[in-house]
Structures are given as C-alpha cells and as structure tokens.
Amino acid sequence: REGDGLVCDAPGNHLRPTVVAWYRAQARAYLADRLARICDRLRQAVPAWRLSDARTRWGSLSAKGVVSLNWRLIKAGPEEADYVICHELAHFRRRDHSPAFWREVADLCPEFRSMRLRLRMNAPRYMAF
C-alpha cells in the first residue's frame, strides 16, 4: 500500500488474481476481528464463517449456521462492515426480513439504516474489482 493506493508489480495477466488474493487475505483477518469484537460485545460465541465472492450480497447465513461475509467489505468503512455482521447475526434469531427481524438488527446496530444506505450508494465502487 502507498497511501490510498495499492502498488502491484504482477504481470498484466496476473494482476487481477494477485490483487484479489491480497484483498482476500486482508479481509479474512479484518472481518474475523470485527466479527469477534461484535460477538464478544454480545457475549456470544463466534459462529463458523467464511469469505464470500458474491457479486450482489454483502453477507448471508446458511441453513447450517455458517455466516458468509463478502471480501469486498474490506473496502467499506468499519461501521458498514459491522452492520453487515450484525445483520447476519440477527438472522440466527429471525431467518426472514420481517419487521421483527429489523428490530433485532436495530438492537444490534442502531445506525443500521444509514450504514445500509452507504453500502447501497458505494456498492458500485466496492464491487468494481
């Protein structure tokens, strides 16, 4: 990293996979830390989780209880990443998007509406690579 930029001397045909691998490594550590902090605050065990490469979702919860978090969240601010994590943790209590689910999200992340809007506004930039 140099300032806000990323310097990579990989040959052209290896540039994308090299940069994605770097982002994924950074995201794995970053999101593991964010998830652990939130679970610690909630006094709950850290669930099984994995990185996702989804193009249209920031996160999901599988039927087996595995949280998937998009590696591109590394490009978002910590508040936005925390919102996605709280959203997925709320799905452990409610597996839908009912009003009761959104109350759960609000309990975990009171500023979720503004974070959700920021993610929507910045999605083209975050998903660009």
Side-chain angles (χ1 to χ4, degrees), residues 21-39:
W22 181 86
Y23 268 124
R24 288 179 64 90
Q26 299 299 308
R28 185 173 308 283
Y30 176 73
L31 294 172
D33 180 65
R34 303 302 308 170
L35 180 61
R37 287 174 189 251
I38 291 169
C39 288

Side-chain angles (χ1 to χ4, degrees), residues 4 7 9 12 19 27 42 44 47 51 53 56-57 61 67-68 81 85 97 100 128:
D4 287 342
V7 177
D9 63 357
V19 172
L42 299 174
Q44 71 182 55
L51 284 181
D53 191 33
T56 59
R57 290 182 183 224
L61 179 64
V67 173
S68 294
I85 292 168
H97 287 102

Side-chain angles (χ1 to χ4, degrees), residues 78-95:
E79 299 88 2
E80 293 163 289
D82 288 355
Y83 154 66
V84 173
I85 292 168
C86 289
H87 180 114
E88 298 316 324
L89 293 176
H91 277 307
F92 279 100
R93 298 187 69 141
R94 303 260 181 202
R95 294 285 182 148

Side-chain angles (χ1 to χ4, degrees), residues 46-105:
V46 176
W49 75 281
R50 67 177 198 84
L51 284 181
S52 163
D53 191 33
R55 297 300 297 182
T56 59
R57 290 182 183 224
W58 294 113
S60 63
L61 179 64
S62 77
K64 293 184 178 183
V66 177
V67 173
S68 294
L69 299 171
N70 194 310
W71 65 263
R72 292 171 185 87
L73 284 168
I74 191 74
K75 300 176 187 181
E79 299 88 2
E80 293 163 289
D82 288 355
Y83 154 66
V84 173
I85 292 168
C86 289
H87 180 114
E88 298 316 324
L89 293 176
H91 277 307
F92 279 100
R93 298 187 69 141
R94 303 260 181 202
R95 294 285 182 148
D96 56 23
H97 287 102
S98 67
F101 166 79
W102 289 108
R103 285 191 295 275
E104 293 281 345
V105 174

